[in-house]
């Protein structure tokens, strides 16, 4: 009886109820998806980051009373900036990736300077999340070559697939890596995902990916500046075996392997062009 008399009211009430429920569900979904995105991005710059408070007393990784000193800044005239920037561009534009190395030695002192230069790169919260493993002994280079060639053969034959191997065919690469034993030095760049604070707690290495890649860029520039050549290689699936060979902890991941030395006598490089300024820059 009551329903028959008031069915219109009941219907309107039900529709309002449904609208509120649906609206609320959408609101919740939108809210969590924005939160999820933020968490994902935070995780990508600090993978070990946990926003939950563990309850332990936190100590900053840098000294609490960090001192400040005047910036050492040598101002140079604008004309000199122009000359130097042009000169540096020409130097860097002459850099080429080299796959054929001479066995000619390079003094270790030079390599130490290159690695010191790489270590001047900026890093997240000044964590300096890099380890440069310098390998110059013939025996260890041979072991590294064996590990890499074994994995690279599988990479080329199975893992990379047709599209990838077709794309790189003009570069005439394969799994045989003579440069690993010919070059006098190999520098393996490891990124440290975390380390330890002086009080023994875990020190998070924010932006370790970006920091290490920046350091590698500095290293490549330093190699070019020193009149040497390199190959920016990323040995696929070799990280754990190389880490074990060099006794590095699991908190370190292999980022890059750079052979450093002189080019082989008749070394040829592909005739490639670089994009022009118009193609890499937008001005606003
Ligand atoms: N890492 C392999 C394959 C390779 C991949 C790319 I991308 C290159 O630009 C060149 C080679 C190798 O070093 O042979």
């Amino acid at each position: 009886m009551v329903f028959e008399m008031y069915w219109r009211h009941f219907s309107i009430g039900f529709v309002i109820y449904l609208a509120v429920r649906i609206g609320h569900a959408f609101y919740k979904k939108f809210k969590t998806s924005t939160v999820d995105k933020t968490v994902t991005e935070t995780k990508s710059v600090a993978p070990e980051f946990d926003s939950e408070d563990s309850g332990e007393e936190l100590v900053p990784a840098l000294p609490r009373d960090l001192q400040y000193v005047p910036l050492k800044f040598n101002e140079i005239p604008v004309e000199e900036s122009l000359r130097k920037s042009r000169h540096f561009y020409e130097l860097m534009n002459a850099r080429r990736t080299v796959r054929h190395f001479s066995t000619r030695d390079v003094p270790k002192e030079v390599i130490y300077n290159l690695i010191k230069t790489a270590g001047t790169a900026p890093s997240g919260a000044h964590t300096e999340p890099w380890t440069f493993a310098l390998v110059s002994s013939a025996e260890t280079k041979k072991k590294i070559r064996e590990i890499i060639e074994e994995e690279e053969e599988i990479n080329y034959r199975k893992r990379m697939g047709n599209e990838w191997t077709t794309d790189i065919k003009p570069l005439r690469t394969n799994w045989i890596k003579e440069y690993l034993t010919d070059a006098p030095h190999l520098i393996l760049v490891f990124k440290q995902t975390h380390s330890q604070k002086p009080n023994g707690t875990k020190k998070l290495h924010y932006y370790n990916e970006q920091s290490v890649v920046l350091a590698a860029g500095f290293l490549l520039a330093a190699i070019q500046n020193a009149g040497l050549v390199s190959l920016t290689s990323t040995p696929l699936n070799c990280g754990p075996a190389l880490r074990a060979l060099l006794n590095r902890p699991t908190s370190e991941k292999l980022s890059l392997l750079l052979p450093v030395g002189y080019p082989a006598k008749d070394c040829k490089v592909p005739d490639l062009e670089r994009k022009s300024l118009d193609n890499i820059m937008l001005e606003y």
Side-chain angles (χ1 to χ4, degrees), residues 201-233:
T201 59
K202 192 185 261 187
K203 173 172 167 178
L204 299 182
H205 288 183
Y206 311 99
Y207 299 98
N208 56 66
E209 179 72 41
Q210 291 88 336
S211 308
V212 164
V213 175
L214 285 167
F218 276 38
L219 185 56
L220 287 174
I223 292 168
Q224 177 69 3
N225 182 57
L228 301 169
V229 296
S230 184
L231 158 63
T232 319
S233 83

Side-chain angles (χ1 to χ4, degrees), residues 243-255:
R243 185 177 63 209
L245 177 75
L246 302 173
N247 294 316
R248 301 310 308 153
T250 50
S251 55
E252 296 191 5
K253 312 259 179 283
L254 180 68
S255 269

